[in-house]
Amino acid sequence: MLIDMHNHTKISSPCSVLSPEELIETARMRGIDAICVTDHLFIEGATVAQEVGRKMNFPVFRGIEARSELGDMLVYGYYQDIPNHIPLDDLCRSVHESGGIVFVAHPYHVNGGGVNLYTCLHGRGSDLDADWDKVPVLRQLDGIEVMNGQADDKTNAKADVLASRLQVAGIGGSDAHVVDRVARVATRFDQLIRTDEELVEALKKSSYQAVRLRY
Ligand SMILES: [Zn+2]
Ligand SMILES: [Zn+2]
């Protein structure tokens, strides 16, 4: 099952021009099986898009892109708004207590107003590649977005190397804000996923891989 794990709608992400209907219709036309809506900070966009998906008979799962003090994080299985600049340990604790899971979004890539872990650590005098073990909060992270549709191949390759070295799971998502970017990247799961809960369970198993899709 191919799921695009990272998309923004204009409902809660002012940086996106996509309505849920456009996002869903494009994803369906490009042949993927489901999408996650991960609007910035607010859960409303995902909730509305999921409802629209039901009416359009296309699976939409709920996520959220948090902006932590150490950069953007993709959160699944946590269905509340997340305060801007939340400390990363607070984010991980709240999400894990709710049974959810936290992935580093685009660890090396800056997109528009986005913030990444590499730059945030660098600003504090740490290096993402050399110092992972020296920054305890990083051990609470569950995985890494190893393929982001906005990042170039070289930048994604660095994220992939990091995930392999740390032996954490890797997901892929388009990070779409406009129609053309939808379903450019997805995550291939080896099982059927029908609900938000099943998605989180599948993410915890790490039997999936990020894939780039070409049309
Ligand atoms: Zn981001
Ligand atoms: Zn994003």
Side-chain angles (χ1 to χ4, degrees):
M1 186 167 184
L2 275 177
I3 307 178
D4 185 344
M5 298 295 293
H6 186 169
N7 292 283
H8 296 277
T9 74
K10 60 184 177 186
I11 293 178
S12 327
S13 291
C15 50
S16 172
V17 298
L18 284 168
S19 67
E21 289 82 359
E22 287 170 316
L23 177 57
I24 291 164
E25 212 41 69
T26 310
R28 184 178 0 232
M29 198 179 69
R30 291 187 171 163
I32 64 167
D33 302 302
I35 52 166
C36 272
V37 169
T38 52
D39 280 352
H40 296 288
L41 309 181
F42 301 107
I43 194 69
E44 188 192 2
T47 303
V48 171
Q50 188 171 62
E51 195 47 46
V52 173
R54 270 191 201 110
K55 287 181 192 141
M56 295 174 71
N57 201 21
F58 188 85
V60 176
F61 303 117
R62 289 178 295 162
I64 190 162
E65 186 169 13
R67 179 144 297 162
S68 81
E69 41 149 21
L70 287 177
D72 290 351
M73 302 288 152
L74 288 167
V75 170
Y76 306 96
Y78 185 76
Y79 311 111
Q80 297 174 42
D81 297 344
I82 297 174
N84 206 358
H85 304 303
I86 187 171
L88 186 55
D89 53 353
D90 287 357
L91 175 69
C92 290
R93 193 177 334 105
S94 304
V95 172
H96 290 152
E97 278 172 12
S98 302
I101 187 163
V102 182
F103 286 76
V104 186
H106 48 74
Y108 297 94
H109 174 73
V110 182
N111 170 33
V115 212
N116 67 41
L117 180 60
Y118 179 86
T119 308
C120 292
L121 283 175
H122 192 73
R124 294 167 175 228
S126 292
D127 179 80
L128 175 55
D129 299 299
D131 297 333
W132 184 278
D133 292 326
K134 296 180 203 150
V135 185
V137 67
L138 301 182
R139 279 181 233 134
Q140 295 178 44
L141 293 163
D142 301 290
I144 293 175
E145 184 185 47
V146 295
M147 207 179 282
N148 174 288
Q150 305 276 11
D152 60 26
D153 288 346
K154 210 173 141 193
T155 309
N156 282 325
K158 280 162 71 178
D160 202 33
V161 167
L162 181 67
S164 303
R165 191 164 60 76
L166 298 170
Q167 296 187 302
V168 296
I171 55 168
S174 292
D175 204 357
H177 295 69
V178 296
V179 163
D180 183 55
R181 305 309 303 174
V182 176
R184 295 283 177 185
V185 170
T187 303
R188 190 188 303 279
F189 293 86
D190 60 6
Q191 67 200 96
L192 180 65
I193 295 166
R194 291 160 299 187
T195 63
D196 289 331
E197 292 71 26
E198 287 181 358
L199 177 64
V200 174
E201 285 316 304
L203 285 169
K204 288 178 180 173
K205 285 189 200 151
S206 63
S207 54
Y208 43 85
Q209 70 185 119
V211 289
R212 190 177 283 283
L213 306 167
R214 305 201 190 269
Y215 304 98

